[in-house]
Amino acid sequence: MSGFQSPRGLRDLLEPLASAHGWAIDRAWAAADAAGYARIELPIAEESGLFERAVGGTSDIVAKELYRLEPRGDDAVSLALRPEATAGAVRAYIQHGMRSQPQPVRLVTVAHLFRYDRPQKGRYRQFTQFDLEAIGDGGPGIDLEVIELGAAYLRNLGLSDVQVHLNSVGCSACRPAYVESLRAYFTPAMHELSEVDQSRLTANPLRLLDSKDPAVIKRVADAPLITDHLCGDCAAHHAAVMAGLATIGVTVLAAPRLVRGLDYYTRTAWEYLLPGEQGQQGALGGGGRYDGLVELLGGPATPAIGFAIGIDRVVLALEERGLLPVRAVGATIVVAGIEPDSVADRVAIASQLRTAGSSARADVSSRKIGRQLESAVRDGARAVIIVEPDGRLTLRDLVKASQAEPAERSEVIAAALRLVQNEG
Ligand code: AMP
């Protein structure tokens, strides 16, 4: 045995989790396809500068958690593994001139992401997000569409009590005054803050609302609320989103302390949570309007909105509730053989069955037929086709434990397919 282990925070997914992840991802693509979103596959690494510009050099994601790649000979610029998908999607929107398409441009991707974070339950260094973006529409209608799509996706997976925690973080017109009032509120208590929170107070007081420090959390309870400081346009947008969501059938909770600490976020911000879960750590996903990002990355001023739902957290929630889908692993039909030299025939027949739509595998061993049958039963197969020494085939029904007379190939293959398809 080698002494190698998977690196810390980078997991192997075995069954049933591997299938559950695949299932949740398939459902994500399907949900977005059904709503007319175009799929986009983005590279797993981008220029480091893209993330530095988009997410911000002082954010944890970039300052502490970015996996930078060692520069290689012909790389003109330094690259990093993506810690989020929105920056890449916006980069692609600009690069491919999607501005000239009808707006909004609706995009969906499923992205493997990397953050050098402290691994714990629900927090890994490699994880996967269902990421949906609608770029080019500033009205509240698209907010409703995007928020509802994420909620419906989670509900349809079986997380029917999902809640949307919703806030507005204002815009460049109204947020600066709010940030100042927050700074003024916390400054007298500066000496009580940790070093990290002191530097937040200076650089971006909004992030104090996310602090994990119990003393800060207590103070946050009485801190000024952004919703009391919104300008007229932001207040009207927020009211329209709240009112629209009320008719949609997801539980919406006003979350006036929910912020996204990055400057390009504007107006609508939300998280998908299950009852009893705390924000951030417990969130299944989150979203926000980012009306400033396209411009920040060198494009024309373009409003946009999107969400990211964590597939790993979704699967964890389903597992905790006993709702993991179980995919039967193993073939429905096993093709066995009396003579060892029938192995190539068995493989060919199994392939023919798969082409016809059944799941099938050959027993490729030279074991006695009795052993081959035992292992087919152990694997949960429905039927066995036995290749006889004269080349004819015998169909054995493992559920009824009955066996037909040997017959011609095409006849037995058709009978086997009928048997499994009638039940499928
Ligand atoms: P964020 O991109 O940080 O807003 O996170 C959006 C969602 O991605 C979260 O609600 C989680 O479901 C998921 N997520 C974020 N970071 C991690 C992580 N380190 N491990 C697993 N899932 C994560």
Side-chain angles (χ1 to χ4, degrees):
M1 202 186 90
S2 83
F4 293 117
Q5 305 262 317
S6 62
R8 200 161 116 80
L10 308 182
R11 301 182 296 157
D12 298 316
L13 291 176
L14 310 179
E15 295 289 8
L17 291 184
S19 282
H21 272 245
W23 172 79
I25 289 169
D26 290 347
R27 297 283 294 252
W29 288 121
D33 289 350
Y37 279 67
R39 297 184 182 202
I40 185 165
E41 292 282 1
L42 298 161
I44 215 157
E46 298 269 1
E47 284 186 31
S48 310
L50 174 69
F51 303 120
E52 284 157 5
R53 177 91 61 88
V55 186
T58 60
S59 67
D60 284 355
I61 290 184
V62 169
K64 299 189 203 149
E65 299 173 4
L66 203 59
Y67 278 91
R68 294 172 191 275
L69 301 180
E70 238 171 75
R72 300 292 294 261
D74 63 353
D75 281 345
V77 289
S78 104
L79 303 184
L81 297 180
R82 58 184 172 184
E84 54 111 57
T86 304
V90 170
R91 193 258 315 132
Y93 174 89
I94 298 168
Q95 180 177 341
H96 302 289
M98 293 186 208
R99 172 90 177 156
S100 62
Q101 299 175 13
Q103 306 290 302
V105 172
R106 294 176 164 89
L107 298 173
V108 57
T109 197
V110 173
H112 300 300
L113 306 178
F114 300 85
R115 291 182 194 169
Y116 186 77
D117 204 348
R118 195 166 63 80
Q120 51 194 291
K121 188 176 152 214
R123 188 166 289 278
Y124 314 102
R125 289 180 175 174
Q126 177 185 331
F127 60 100
T128 305
Q129 280 183 350
F130 166 21
D131 193 86
L132 194 103
E133 314 287 354
I135 307 176
D137 187 333
I142 193 72
D143 299 37
L144 296 178
E145 174 181 305
V146 171
I147 294 170
E148 196 281 335
L149 275 172
Y153 165 74
L154 294 165
R155 199 170 57 230
N156 292 338
L157 290 184
L159 302 170
S160 51
D161 50 346
V162 62
Q163 301 172 335
V164 174
H165 290 222
L166 189 85
N167 196 19
S168 171
V169 297
C171 68
S172 56
C174 53
R175 191 166 47 214
Y178 170 68
V179 169
E180 276 324 306
S181 73
L182 207 54
R183 189 174 276 130
Y185 171 80
F186 276 106
T187 300
M190 183 115 173
H191 58 280
E192 289 175 21
L193 301 181
S194 69
E195 217 171 289
V196 175
D197 282 340
Q198 285 189 13
S199 62
R200 284 179 173 159
L201 182 59
T202 317
N204 187 353
L206 280 180
R207 293 195 51 210
L208 288 172
L209 302 182
D210 280 343
S211 175
K212 308 281 181 300
D213 182 341
V216 179
I217 293 172
K218 215 163 140 226
R219 276 199 170 268
V220 163
D222 294 323
L225 299 177
I226 181 123
T227 36
D228 294 333
H229 289 74
L230 296 177
C231 62
D233 287 349
C234 286
H237 186 97
H238 187 50
V241 174
M242 287 292 258
L245 285 173
T247 62
I248 282 179
V250 282
T251 311
V252 180
L253 301 173
R257 290 175 195 86
L258 190 162
V259 289
R260 317 217 97 204
L262 308 176
D263 282 348
Y264 65 71
Y265 279 116
T266 48
R267 298 190 170 168
T268 311
W270 73 98
E271 283 182 344
Y272 297 109
L273 283 158
L274 293 171
E277 295 285 351
Q278 296 296 315
Q280 298 293 327
Q281 286 298 60
L284 296 168
R289 185 165 265 294
Y290 51 92
D291 293 345
L293 185 57
V294 179
E295 195 173 14
L296 186 67
L297 295 182
T302 310
I305 185 166
F307 69 62
I309 291 179
I311 296 291
D312 307 71
R313 297 253 177 100
V314 164
V315 169
L316 203 60
L318 291 169
E319 189 181 21
E320 281 172 356
R321 293 169 167 220
L323 295 175
L324 272 197
V326 182
R327 186 179 71 87
V329 179
T332 312
I333 305 176
V334 170
V335 187
I338 310 280
E339 304 285 351
D341 66 6
S342 65
V343 161
D345 244 359
R346 300 179 214 167
V347 170
I349 293 166
S351 169
Q352 197 179 335
L353 289 162
R354 288 193 295 270
T355 303
S358 173
S359 81
R361 71 163 174 87
D363 188 314
V364 294
S365 76
S366 51
R367 294 177 293 184
K368 292 231 162 39
I369 186 67
R371 284 290 164 77
Q372 295 181 44
L373 291 174
E374 279 167 23
S375 96
V377 170
R378 225 180 11 251
D379 284 3
R382 175 70 184 79
V384 177
I385 290 176
I386 302 164
V387 182
E388 301 291 342
D390 63 5
R392 288 186 304 161
L393 305 180
T394 302
L395 179 60
R396 186 177 175 87
D397 183 328
L398 291 181
V399 170
K400 294 194 185 129
S402 65
Q403 192 161 311
E405 289 301 313
E408 290 312 314
R409 267 176 187 245
S410 55
E411 201 180 303
V412 175
I413 288 172
L417 288 170
R418 273 198 306 279
L419 180 69
V420 299
Q421 278 162 4
N422 281 344
E423 292 165 359

